[in-house]
Amino acid sequence: MDAAKLYVSSKPGGSVGSGDPIVDVLRLLRTQAVVPARVHGASPWAVRFDPPTHVKLGVVLEGECWMTLDGCEPVLLREGDFFLLNNPPSYTLAGTPDPEPAQVTAFHESENDGEVRMGAKADEDTYVCCIDFVFEQANASVLFDVLPPVVLVRSGDPRGALLSNLSALTVAEMESTGVGRSLVLEHLAQLILVHMLRVHADQTDRPVGWLGALVDDGIGAALRAMHADVGRRWTLDELATISHMSRSAFASAFKAKVGTAPLTYLIRWRMSLARDALRSDTRSISELAAATGYESESAFSTAFRREVGASPRHFRDQARQQAGAGPAHPLTPRRAVGARRGGMGSTN
């Protein structure tokens, strides 16, 4: 079937998505939990962390420390440095790059409200605050695939000024016992995450996938246009015109930056939104077909089955059963949206 024939206006079915790719992705991830952690250390000290479920954000508020991810070289973090760990292995924060095993303390978030102290309080020389994000597993790869294992924002980076202000508010809330603490922490952590993604997207070496494409004037414009009207009958010619490029140059540049062809990206994004809507059970299949740009329920079902491996009705029925039975792993797409994860990223 000619893919172009499947793309028609979705106006009658209403819109899905916000039009801002970062907002769309974070909404799709549906944050399940934000878990704060505070580490106070008096040298010599070391804390061993189990692998975060998804993403960890952290900032060194006082002193400096060494961060060592299993299988990687230690990284020195100084006061004012921020870090983002993307689905990492177990790791250690320590006062030295090679702490003695006897110095290492296992961190348990459930103890002491996520706070650990090592050594005498009067001798403390390091203070690190972290927040773990736990997302809805089914769509987590949409973010994981465009981030390296580690993103660093150094204290001297001018783009880190807003992060410093947000971290001060976050730490104050962590140390507070006021009502609504968990909700405030969740919103502050979301703000920090968005700013970390912005800084990473602005790096001179350019990140991969849709996040990296956003900073390209041409490809980014086309990408934002697709998110702004996911149900439009987009053609390569239209997207190339938005990007001020020829059809062939646009197709080649888009695939190089995002990791897939433009219309393939659009189909996969539509199916990500469709899976989310079917799990939420907020629209009929015919409404969802129109909202995601298909001229009929049959055309939508064909595209959905090709991408996900199951019909929309089967997917929705399974999601309902799993919702009734408690936490489970819903069907996941055969292909992840975005490009493969890159290497370690940093801003210096």
Side-chain angles (χ1 to χ4, degrees), residues 121-198:
K121 185 174 182 179
D123 296 330
E124 288 175 0
D125 51 22
T126 306
Y127 183 18
V128 182
C129 281
C130 306
I131 295 178
D132 284 1
F133 274 92
V134 180
F135 300 117
E136 188 174 79
Q137 180 64 37
N139 294 311
S141 64
V142 177
L143 182 62
F144 296 164
D145 290 346
V146 299
L147 290 175
V150 181
V151 177
L152 300 178
V153 181
R154 296 296 188 180
S155 59
D157 192 322
R159 295 167 295 185
L162 284 174
L163 285 170
S164 297
N165 293 333
L166 289 171
S167 71
L169 291 173
T170 303
V171 172
E173 198 61 35
M174 282 185 182
E175 297 175 346
S176 138
T177 57
V179 294
R181 173 177 179 262
S182 61
L183 181 62
V184 173
L185 279 175
E186 179 177 337
H187 285 290
L188 286 170
Q190 291 273 10
L191 288 171
I192 293 174
L193 178 58
V194 170
H195 280 285
M196 289 290 285
L197 293 178
R198 284 179 176 176

Side-chain angles (χ1 to χ4, degrees), residues 22-32 54-55 134-144 190 193 197 210 276:
I22 288 181
V23 173
D24 285 346
V25 167
L26 292 182
R27 285 180 178 172
L28 197 66
L29 290 174
R30 296 186 185 278
T31 303
Q32 303 291 297
H54 288 149
V55 170
V134 180
F135 300 117
E136 188 174 79
Q137 180 64 37
N139 294 311
S141 64
V142 177
L143 182 62
F144 296 164
Q190 291 273 10
L193 178 58
L197 293 178
W210 59 265
D276 185 62

Side-chain angles (χ1 to χ4, degrees), residues 81-106:
D81 287 351
F82 287 81
F83 60 89
L84 181 154
L85 305 182
N86 175 32
N87 207 24
S90 297
Y91 68 99
T92 302
L93 295 179
T96 61
D98 52 353
E100 297 293 332
Q103 298 172 352
V104 181
T105 299

Side-chain angles (χ1 to χ4, degrees), residues 147-303:
L147 290 175
V150 181
V151 177
L152 300 178
V153 181
R154 296 296 188 180
S155 59
D157 192 322
R159 295 167 295 185
L162 284 174
L163 285 170
S164 297
N165 293 333
L166 289 171
S167 71
L169 291 173
T170 303
V171 172
E173 198 61 35
M174 282 185 182
E175 297 175 346
S176 138
T177 57
V179 294
R181 173 177 179 262
S182 61
L183 181 62
V184 173
L185 279 175
E186 179 177 337
H187 285 290
L188 286 170
Q190 291 273 10
L191 288 171
I192 293 174
L193 178 58
V194 170
H195 280 285
M196 289 290 285
L197 293 178
R198 284 179 176 176
V199 171
H200 179 57
D202 286 339
Q203 289 182 120
T204 55
D205 56 350
R206 303 300 192 203
V208 299
W210 59 265
L211 184 59
L214 289 178
V215 299
D216 183 288
D217 290 341
I219 303 302
L223 195 65
R224 287 188 290 272
M226 283 191 278
H227 278 257
D229 191 357
V230 74
R232 180 185 173 92
R233 191 208 299 244
W234 289 111
T235 66
L236 275 178
D237 288 334
E238 287 177 322
L239 295 170
T241 298
I242 290 172
S243 298
H244 301 289
M245 302 169 72
S246 70
R247 175 187 170 117
S248 59
F250 167 73
S252 176
F254 190 99
K255 187 169 185 178
K257 288 186 176 295
V258 181
T260 189
L263 297 186
T264 301
Y265 173 88
L266 178 61
I267 291 173
R268 293 181 183 177
W269 178 245
R270 285 172 168 174
M271 294 303 106
S272 292
L273 295 174
R275 290 194 306 272
D276 185 62
L278 288 167
R279 279 193 296 269
S280 303
D281 204 20
T282 56
R283 298 172 187 252
S284 69
I285 293 175
S286 60
E287 289 173 337
L288 190 56
T292 51
Y294 292 88
E295 61 184 359
S296 68
E297 184 176 325
S298 174
F300 168 72
S301 296
T302 298

